Amino acid sequence: MLKGLSYIVAALIPISATVVQVDGNLFSDQKSEASQLNIRMAYPQGWNFFTKPPTDAFYMAYTKKDSEWSLRTNESSSLESLLGISRNVRSRGLEVGHLIPQIEVSNGWSKCNDTTLPCLNELDQKPLSIVNPVDGADLCGEAVFVERNVTPRSYRSITQERYHSTRSAHVTIKCESDQ
């Protein structure tokens, strides 16, 4: 009996923390402000620890394949990713996370205020050389990174585009396995 009760209490703590973190919900009232304060002291970040703001920029990586640019990130709907058979797609986010700061430090970005295709076809700069430190890296050789942002909701009645590209970087990625 005591063991079952401890499972119930253990399950209710995260649920109550979730309910308290969301302001103005069905289960909240003014009398529970003291309990909200206690729970917020135990869970100060609330959901912010688990989520990324949806308005943050994200990066798309393209590599050359048969003289055409091919998307290498966000390919989770590809056949090789079916039911998790290949997990290579998951590692690309890690690789991009190592490569983007190198581009930032070298100031290798070019302005790009259009859709993605013109960003890829109008590469006027010499590729920046960067190193991919990830073992068994998938992103190697010539590539283009395009920074994309979500179109703010207030502009969605003006444009049909849900995303817009803001800048691009033409790079040559040297992998640790190549050295």
Side-chain angles (χ1 to χ4, degrees):
M1 177 73 178
L2 189 60
K3 188 175 183 180
L5 184 63
S6 64
Y7 285 132
I8 292 171
V9 170
L12 287 177
I13 289 174
I15 292 170
S16 65
T18 303
V19 169
V20 169
Q21 292 292 336
V22 180
D23 290 328
N25 59 54
L26 182 63
F27 301 107
S28 64
D29 61 1
Q30 281 96 14
K31 294 178 183 176
S32 65
E33 287 184 24
S35 64
Q36 284 184 356
L37 183 62
N38 291 336
I39 291 177
R40 287 185 191 218
M41 287 177 67
Y43 299 99
Q45 291 181 317
W47 286 110
N48 294 340
F49 180 76
F50 298 103
T51 60
K52 177 181 179 273
T55 54
D56 278 1
F58 59 96
Y59 301 95
M60 309 292 278
Y62 295 86
T63 57
K64 269 240 167 122
K65 186 176 186 181
D66 300 328
S67 74
E68 296 214 7
W69 293 107
S70 173
L71 179 66
R72 296 305 307 263
T73 51
N74 299 352
E75 299 173 328
S76 59
S77 62
S78 67
L79 189 58
E80 73 177 27
S81 302
L82 181 67
L83 300 174
I85 294 169
S86 173
R87 296 183 179 166
N88 294 339
V89 175
R90 294 183 194 174
S91 68
R92 291 193 192 126
L94 176 68
E95 292 180 50
V96 170
H98 283 289
L99 298 172
I100 295 299
Q102 294 179 50
I103 298 170
E104 295 285 353
V105 168
S106 303
N107 201 14
W109 293 105
S110 298
K111 285 277 187 206
C112 178
N113 293 322
D114 208 338
T115 58
T116 302
L117 197 56
C119 293
L120 297 174
N121 293 331
E122 298 173 6
L123 301 172
D124 56 354
Q125 65 183 19
K126 183 182 172 198
L128 175 69
S129 184
I130 58 177
V131 177
N132 191 342
V134 177
D135 290 335
D138 192 45
L139 293 173
C140 300
E142 185 180 11
V144 173
F145 288 98
V146 178
E147 182 184 75
R148 302 197 74 203
N149 288 302
V150 177
T151 303
R153 287 191 186 276
S154 57
Y155 293 107
R156 290 193 181 170
S157 62
I158 298 170
T159 180
Q160 293 296 316
E161 298 292 327
R162 292 292 180 235
Y163 307 98
H164 60 280
S165 303
T166 54
R167 56 188 185 163
S168 64
H170 188 197
V171 296
T172 301
I173 304 169
K174 182 173 240 179
C175 293
E176 293 281 328
S177 59
D178 295 344
Q179 296 176 355

